[in-house]
């Protein structure tokens, strides 16, 4: 393994030997990594410092399992791995919701609205992690706006549906709010 002692006695580690070893191991089973989808990035506790020192700008981010992972700091100023909904996944979910509404233009509201509530709840259950609150609220707002648009497109009578009438409907049949966020770091220590 390559490595050494860097500034202030911190142990430095490069991922190149690990990358080479994993390529060899995959090769034994006639597998390979897609070169266009694989790269080594500076990431972790000292990534910001190293990027500034080398003039590379901000540390890189990466998308994995529908989340964008990025380097951040906690309230106490310490390094923290942060996650938020990946932009590509968010756009895909909104597009899927649009097409779902379009395919249900003739379906009664009493059937469509409970399904929309379940869709929003399902989205929250997956993406409901630390540091993702703004994206959860953005997805809820997208569902709310698309719901109004869908109701207005259903008929000529619905075309005149005002925001105040829609708010009254939402008071009677609310969309869910995200609850308490899951702390993925704390969950790994719990048994």
């Amino acid at each position: 393994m390559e490595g050494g002692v860097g500034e202030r006695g911190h142990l430095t580690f490069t991922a190149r030997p690990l990358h080479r070893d994993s390529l060899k191991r995959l090769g034994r089973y006639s597998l390979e990594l897609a070169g266009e989808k694989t790269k080594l990035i500076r990431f972790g506790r000292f990534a910001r410092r190293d990027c500034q020192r080398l003039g590379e700008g901000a540390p890189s981010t990466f998308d994995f399992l529908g989340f964008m992972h990025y380097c951040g700091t906690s309230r106490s100023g310490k390094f923290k791995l942060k996650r938020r909904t990946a932009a590509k996944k968010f756009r895909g979910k909104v597009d899927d919701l649009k097409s779902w509404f379009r395919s249900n233009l003739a379906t009664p509201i009493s059937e469509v609205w409970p399904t929309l509530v379940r869709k929003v709840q399902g989205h929250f259950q997956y993406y409901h992690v630390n540091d993702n609150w703004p994206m959860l609220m953005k997805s809820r707002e997208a569902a709310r706006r698309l719901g109004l648009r869908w109701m207005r497109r259903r008929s000529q009578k619905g075309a005149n549906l005002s925001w105040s009438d829609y708010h009254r409907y939402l008071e009677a049949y609310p969309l869910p709010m995200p609850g308490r966020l899951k702390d993925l770091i704390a969950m790994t220590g719990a048994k």
Side-chain angles (χ1 to χ4, degrees), residues 89-109:
K89 290 291 183 180
F90 176 76
R91 283 191 305 272
K93 292 282 184 184
V94 171
D95 289 343
D96 289 347
L97 202 55
K98 281 181 188 176
S99 62
W100 176 75
F101 272 128
R102 202 173 300 122
S103 67
N104 285 295
L105 277 175
T107 310
I109 294 174

Side-chain angles (χ1 to χ4, degrees), residues 46-64:
F46 304 110
R48 187 175 308 278
R49 179 200 68 193
D50 292 343
C51 287
Q52 287 175 350
R53 187 180 60 191
L54 297 170
E56 294 177 353
S60 298
T61 64
F62 65 94
D63 289 354
F64 184 63

Side-chain angles (χ1 to χ4, degrees), residues 4-165:
V5 179
E7 295 176 10
R8 295 190 219 145
H10 294 295
L11 182 66
T12 60
F13 171 77
T14 59
R16 285 180 180 77
L18 183 63
H19 185 252
R20 276 195 307 265
D21 291 346
S22 62
L23 289 175
K24 286 180 192 175
R25 191 171 295 137
L26 287 170
R28 285 186 217 151
Y29 302 101
S30 302
L31 299 171
E32 58 185 44
L33 290 175
E36 68 278 358
K37 295 182 180 180
T38 308
K39 66 180 178 178
L40 295 175
I41 62 172
R42 291 189 198 289
F43 199 84
R45 195 166 80 181
F46 304 110
R48 187 175 308 278
R49 179 200 68 193
D50 292 343
C51 287
Q52 287 175 350
R53 187 180 60 191
L54 297 170
E56 294 177 353
S60 298
T61 64
F62 65 94
D63 289 354
F64 184 63
L65 296 176
F67 290 98
M68 179 185 78
H69 296 72
Y70 62 100
C71 298
T73 54
S74 66
R75 290 179 186 163
S76 62
K78 296 180 181 178
F79 169 77
K80 182 179 179 187
L81 168 66
K82 293 190 169 192
R83 296 169 190 87
R84 61 180 272 179
T85 307
K88 185 177 178 181
K89 290 291 183 180
F90 176 76
R91 283 191 305 272
K93 292 282 184 184
V94 171
D95 289 343
D96 289 347
L97 202 55
K98 281 181 188 176
S99 62
W100 176 75
F101 272 128
R102 202 173 300 122
S103 67
N104 285 295
L105 277 175
T107 310
I109 294 174
S110 60
E111 292 176 24
V112 172
W113 203 259
T115 306
L116 174 64
V117 168
R118 287 192 304 275
K119 284 178 176 286
V120 172
Q121 283 174 335
H123 180 80
F124 288 165
Q125 286 175 348
Y126 184 79
Y127 290 100
H128 202 236
V129 297
N130 285 1
D131 308 311
N132 199 26
W133 184 267
M135 291 302 288
L136 293 176
M137 295 309 291
K138 191 173 177 181
S139 65
R140 184 180 185 276
E141 179 64 16
R144 190 174 71 92
R145 288 183 177 275
L146 288 172
L148 174 63
R149 183 176 169 194
W150 169 75
M151 286 184 175
R152 284 179 173 170
R153 293 183 70 190
R154 288 175 51 83
S155 67
Q156 291 177 347
K157 183 179 174 184
N160 297 327
L161 182 65
S162 67
W163 272 104
S164 58
D165 293 338

